[in-house]
Amino acid sequence: MYWSNFLHIYQPPTQTEEIVRKVTDEGYRTLVRVLREAPGGKITLNINAVLTEQLARYGLDDVIRGLRELAERGQIEFTGSAMYHPILPLIPKDEVVRQVKLNSDVNRRYFGEVYKPMGFFPPEMCYSYEVAQTVAELGFRWIIVDELSFKGKIGSVNYDRLYKVEGLGDFLVFFKERPFSAGITYGTYPSAKPFLAALKGGLEKNSYLLTGTDGEVYGHHRREQEKLLSEVFARGTPETCTISELIKYFKQVDNVNPVPSSWSTWEDEVAQGIPYPQWQYPGHELHRLQWQLTDFVLHTVKGVPPNAPGFPEARRLLDEGLHSCQYWWASCRPWWSVEMIECGARKLYQAVESLGDTIDDKQKKETSRIFQAVVSKAREWQESGEAQRLKQEYRKEHPEVSTELTFGG
């Protein structure tokens, strides 16, 4: 068995310097140290460029240098992604392309030529055929998604072979295994011993384990859980490899047509046709208002000539304002934060506000109206207990979510 461990590290554009420094001390530097101490250990890593810029801005360049050196040594394989972590199936194609290109340009500026990803991580593993098609058009060779995207069922993927997306030529799709990934996220495997015990006889099989989590679960969310990595690296069992290396080891390739999903979606939600419930849930009034604001700001900013006064700032704020966290923290499935909702909505509001007299008063007033509606609804749900009620309802439906950590996103 090969273990291909995918890690995703990211901080939203609204994150404070204090938190970025704390996560860096506890998590990112820990990852760099563990990999440096184990020359045979390998991972596949996504770092959204918004985090790369934060590390540079706050003088945390040692992490950038460390990741670059590890990539040069072949221990880290980078993936592509979208700069500010938007939910790609929910935004227009031209915005998807823009975010992906921004991400590549910024990361290449800091990591140099070693940043040449073959694969692509759609934020939150939110998959759609259209996103895969766009990613393939941009030159990537594969995409990673959750195993739920394989026929909408957990436990259906055969990890002794590879898969191609039907209709996209040789473009591959890798399915992140969920049970072990959830176990890592929730602290079931703090070290090698319980991890290897859970694998049991699977170690002898001609197969691979493809886990995927937030990189922050090693040292930040889970103190000392980096032991799992260091101990497995030291044992050399299972052998670790990057995702792209799996292409060399497994030759059988089947065609598949993945279904829209994310790494936080459940089987019942896919069956109901709700692929991205934490970001766009039917009948969810806050989500409806958030996307009304998002769509209005997109239309307003993109309707302004690029050489107009205030456009560069408006465009930057719009790029940042598309980040996924505001919708996630409004979902009550089970995540909830009035502060995160307001911070995200304010980015979008400020994008229009920065255009000044370039746009008319009617557009300004409408943006302000929707922004205030988002803020008012969030505060109303907090004060009335509606948010707590929805959280409890979700927990009853999905008791598997044992803590308010994600499966990765």
Side-chain angles (χ1 to χ4, degrees):
M1 172 180 280
Y2 294 93
W3 181 22
S4 192
N5 191 16
F6 169 79
L7 302 184
H8 158 61
I9 58 176
Y10 154 73
Q11 295 298 324
T14 53
Q15 191 59 277
T16 64
E17 179 180 349
E18 178 186 7
I19 295 299
V20 174
R21 289 185 176 279
K22 178 178 173 62
V23 180
T24 297
D25 286 340
E26 296 174 353
Y28 305 146
R29 285 179 173 139
T30 297
L31 275 175
V32 171
R33 174 181 58 77
V34 167
L35 283 161
R36 275 178 168 160
E37 291 173 353
K42 294 182 178 182
I43 64 168
T44 296
L45 179 75
N46 173 68
I47 176 169
N48 290 85
V50 59
L51 172 57
T52 310
E53 284 194 335
Q54 289 167 328
L55 293 172
R57 182 184 310 133
Y58 302 137
L60 307 172
D61 309 77
D62 59 299
V63 175
I64 297 174
R65 290 194 303 273
L67 295 177
R68 183 170 61 237
E69 290 165 10
L70 290 164
E72 289 169 347
R73 283 163 49 168
Q75 289 184 256
I76 285 179
E77 170 191 29
F78 289 115
T79 68
S81 191
M83 178 151 183
Y84 293 106
H85 203 269
I87 302 302
L88 299 184
L90 301 181
I91 63 175
K93 179 177 179 177
D94 61 332
E95 293 296 316
V96 173
V97 172
R98 177 180 174 84
Q99 289 268 347
V100 174
K101 288 184 175 179
L102 282 172
N103 193 73
S104 294
D105 291 346
V106 171
N107 272 340
R108 195 166 290 117
R109 185 188 317 150
Y110 287 100
F111 293 111
E113 290 303 310
V114 74
Y115 186 83
K116 45 185 177 183
M118 291 174 57
F120 187 85
F121 168 73
E124 305 288 344
M125 291 192 184
C126 287
Y127 176 87
S128 72
Y129 178 81
E130 292 74 21
V131 167
Q133 188 175 41
T134 300
V135 169
E137 290 170 356
L138 290 170
F140 294 94
R141 292 184 57 191
W142 56 260
I143 190 169
I144 182 171
V145 302
D146 189 82
E147 68 168 299
L148 185 59
S149 287
F150 190 91
K151 301 180 180 180
K153 297 289 183 181
I154 302 296
S156 301
V157 178
N158 290 314
Y159 288 101
D160 61 355
R161 66 198 63 186
L162 307 181
Y163 293 93
K164 291 192 301 186
V165 179
E166 287 184 11
L168 293 182
D170 292 327
F171 186 75
L172 295 168
V173 55
F174 286 95
F175 295 98
K176 182 222 71 170
E177 183 274 356
R178 183 173 287 198
F180 274 95
S181 301
I184 294 170
T185 293
Y186 295 141
T188 307
Y189 311 117
S191 62
K193 185 176 180 179
F195 181 69
L196 295 173
L199 286 172
K200 299 178 182 175
L203 289 169
E204 306 305 319
K205 293 181 179 179
N206 181 34
S207 64
Y208 59 94
L209 173 67
L210 176 50
T211 54
T213 66
D214 285 345
E216 291 87 359
V217 300
Y218 297 103
H220 172 60
H221 292 317
R222 300 287 178 197
R223 289 295 183 92
E224 298 187 0
Q225 188 162 266
E226 66 273 13
K227 285 182 181 177
L228 170 60
L229 296 179
S230 59
E231 290 177 5
V232 170
F233 292 159
R235 289 170 181 254
T237 305
E239 182 178 342
T240 58
C241 69
T242 66
I243 293 176
S244 290
E245 286 177 327
L246 293 173
I247 299 171
K248 298 185 299 184
Y249 301 144
F250 297 88
K251 299 304 180 183
Q252 181 174 340
V253 183
D254 293 352
N255 289 319
V256 66
N257 186 16
V259 300
S261 180
S262 80
W263 64 3
S264 298
T265 309
W266 293 98
E267 289 181 0
D268 62 315
E269 294 165 332
V270 169
Q272 296 171 59
I274 309 172
Y276 322 116
Q278 273 78 14
W279 307 275
Q280 191 179 64
Y281 195 83
H284 191 294
E285 182 61 13
L286 251 178
H287 276 172
R288 185 190 71 79
L289 289 169
Q290 286 177 312
W291 283 106
Q292 184 182 358
L293 177 63
T294 302
D295 293 341
F296 189 81
V297 173
L298 269 167
H299 178 77
T300 301
V301 173
K302 291 167 73 172
V304 172
N307 60 353
F311 179 82
E313 179 67 2
R315 183 65 257 193
R316 181 186 67 80
L317 288 165
L318 171 56
D319 290 335
E320 295 182 1
L322 293 176
H323 74 279
S324 65
C325 296
Q326 58 188 308
Y327 316 101
W328 172 271
W329 288 105
S331 71
C332 301
R333 301 183 67 79
W335 296 273
W336 172 257
S337 168
V338 174
E339 180 184 5
M340 293 297 287
I341 296 167
E342 291 189 13
C343 283
R346 188 168 290 108
K347 282 277 185 188
L348 293 168
Y349 171 71
Q350 289 172 339
V352 171
E353 192 178 45
S354 67
L355 291 170
D357 294 335
T358 301
I359 58 174
D360 59 41
D361 289 341
K362 184 178 179 181
Q363 290 170 300
K364 296 176 188 176
K365 289 178 180 177
E366 181 63 5
T367 306
S368 179
R369 182 192 70 78
I370 307 172
F371 168 70
Q372 292 299 331
V374 170
V375 173
S376 296
K377 182 60 65 175
R379 293 176 180 175
E380 176 191 318
W381 279 19
Q382 175 71 16
E383 293 165 6
S384 69
E386 176 67 4
Q388 187 62 28
R389 184 189 71 78
L390 291 172
K391 287 179 62 168
Q392 291 173 348
E393 186 177 278
Y394 178 81
R395 286 192 179 281
K396 288 179 182 178
E397 294 172 353
H398 301 285
E400 303 94 334
V401 183
S402 59
T403 73
E404 293 194 15
L405 290 180
T406 72
F407 292 112

